[in-house]
């Protein structure tokens, strides 16, 4: 009778919040995305039902079908968990699903998750707001519907870190727009693929080379002075202080 929108965190099951893990363990049904790791699904009851609504490229499951599914499951079962990678409200369409449930009179609750927008850079040892290097961070999607609208030109700002989700396929265009917008082509870039999973991989470069990097989705792209930092560098910095 309640649908819980639970953030699964970026990967490993021990990065799910305690509340999220409890809801997963109680669920009669779990409706999950492709990005959710198997180890997170294993937090569920053995007799729970799993429904994969992952939107693989080429395999179309419309958002309205997912909304309808959640409404009907919410009416049939006590505890439904809608499990989403990262945080349910960061590019997860969680808000739309909650509205659909509200309109249908089905109770819902949201459980925050650790978003890949911040945990991704952290996996590479990048503090996205490192004092003196960055005054803030802009989190954007690299996915544009239809034609390329040149949006990234307006995001060129050397004082901010830029974190791009869903940006792998548009990476060449993102880089050239940022350079056209005035960002130096030497700006550090880091791409973190499948952060916090056994498949994690970190690639470092500069902006002019972003387009030709051999990287694949899911990945976080960090652009800005902070992207040059790494755990090793942070340790060196700390030890030079002592
Ligand atoms: N709600 C999610 C984001 C969903 S959009 C969150 O808060 O993290 C999907 C995009 O998230 C992917 O294309 C990728 O850019 C990013 N992403 C999610 N998990 C990731 C991971 N473990 N490693 C790298 N990128 C990830």
């Amino acid at each position: 009778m309640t649908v819980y929108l639970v953030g699964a965190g970026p990967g490993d099951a021990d990065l799910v919040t305690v509340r999220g893990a409890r809801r997963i363990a109680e669920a009669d049904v779990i409706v999950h995305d492709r990005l959710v790791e198997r180890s997170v699904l294993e937090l569920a009851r053995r007799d729970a039902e799993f429904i994969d609504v992952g939107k693989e490229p080429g395999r179309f499951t419309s958002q309205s079908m997912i909304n309808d599914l959640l409404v009907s499951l919410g009416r049939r079962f006590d505890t439904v968990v809608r499990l989403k990678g990262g945080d349910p409200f960061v590019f997860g369409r969680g808000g739309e699903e909650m509205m659909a449930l509200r309109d249908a009179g089905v109770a819902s609750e949201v459980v925050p998750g650790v978003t890949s927008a911040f945990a991704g850079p952290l996996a590479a040892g990048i503090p996205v707001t490192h004092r003196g290097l960055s005054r803030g961070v802009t989190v954007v999607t690299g996915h544009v519907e239809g034609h390329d609208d040149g949006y990234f030109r307006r995001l060129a700002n050397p004082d901010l870190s830029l974190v791009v989700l869903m940006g792998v396929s548009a990476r060449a265009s993102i880089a050239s727009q940022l350079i056209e917008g005035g960002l130096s082509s030497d700006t550090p870039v880091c791409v973190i693929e499948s952060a916090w999973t056994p498949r994690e991989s970190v690639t470092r470069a500069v902006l002019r080379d972003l387009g030709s990097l051999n990287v694949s989705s899911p990945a976080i792209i960090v652009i800005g002075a902070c992207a040059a930092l790494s755990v090793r560098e942070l340790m060196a910095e700390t030890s030079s202080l002592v």
Side-chain angles (χ1 to χ4, degrees):
M1 300 295 144
T2 302
V3 178
Y4 296 92
L5 275 82
V6 176
D12 290 346
D14 52 4
L15 293 174
V16 180
T17 65
V18 174
R19 187 183 298 188
R22 281 193 192 124
R23 295 296 179 237
I24 295 168
E26 286 162 5
D28 302 304
V29 194
I30 300 199
V31 181
H32 65 94
D33 289 336
R34 191 169 47 101
L35 275 182
V36 176
E37 285 291 296
R38 173 173 290 276
S39 63
V40 175
L41 299 178
E42 284 168 359
L43 299 171
R45 281 184 355 222
R46 277 180 179 277
D47 63 336
E49 192 182 322
F50 293 91
I51 303 175
D52 180 357
V53 291
K55 291 178 196 153
E56 285 169 39
R59 202 186 86 187
F60 185 69
T61 311
S62 76
Q63 187 62 44
S64 68
M65 277 165 66
I66 297 174
N67 295 353
D68 291 348
L69 176 69
L70 292 177
V71 167
S72 71
L73 293 172
R75 289 185 174 141
R76 260 173 58 210
F77 294 96
D78 276 344
T79 307
V80 178
V81 163
R82 170 68 173 115
L83 194 56
K84 290 170 170 293
D87 182 273
F89 280 7
V90 178
F91 300 121
R93 306 192 72 166
E96 289 164 59
E97 293 176 8
M98 253 185 130
M99 285 174 181
L101 290 161
R102 178 203 60 198
D103 291 348
V106 176
S108 66
E109 248 181 68
V110 68
V111 180
V114 175
T115 179
S116 65
F118 294 119
L122 202 142
I126 299 171
V128 282
T129 58
H130 199 65
R131 233 163 86 97
L133 289 185
S134 154
R135 300 178 63 164
V137 51
T138 307
V139 176
V140 283
T141 174
H143 179 79
V144 274
E145 307 274 346
H147 72 291
D148 184 350
D149 59 2
Y151 178 68
F152 276 85
R153 265 194 291 275
R154 299 198 292 279
L155 294 180
N157 184 341
D159 297 328
L160 300 177
S161 302
L162 193 56
V163 171
V164 188
L165 278 73
M166 296 175 276
V168 169
S169 52
R171 63 193 183 282
S173 160
I174 290 170
S176 55
Q177 288 182 49
L178 287 169
I179 292 167
E180 276 167 39
L183 208 57
S184 161
S185 61
D186 290 327
T187 304
V189 161
C190 181
V191 182
I192 306 101
E193 297 169 74
S194 297
W196 303 99
T197 76
R199 304 171 302 285
E200 181 178 294
S201 160
V202 174
T203 307
R204 290 180 193 268
V206 290
L207 192 53
R208 84 172 74 81
D209 298 327
L210 176 60
S212 54
L213 295 182
N214 179 21
V215 288
S216 53
S217 184
I220 294 291
I221 303 173
V222 189
I223 302 163
C226 291
L229 291 177
S230 64
V231 177
R232 202 183 307 140
E233 235 142 342
L234 295 176
M235 306 275 275
E237 211 172 284
T238 321
S239 48
S240 70
L241 291 175
V242 289

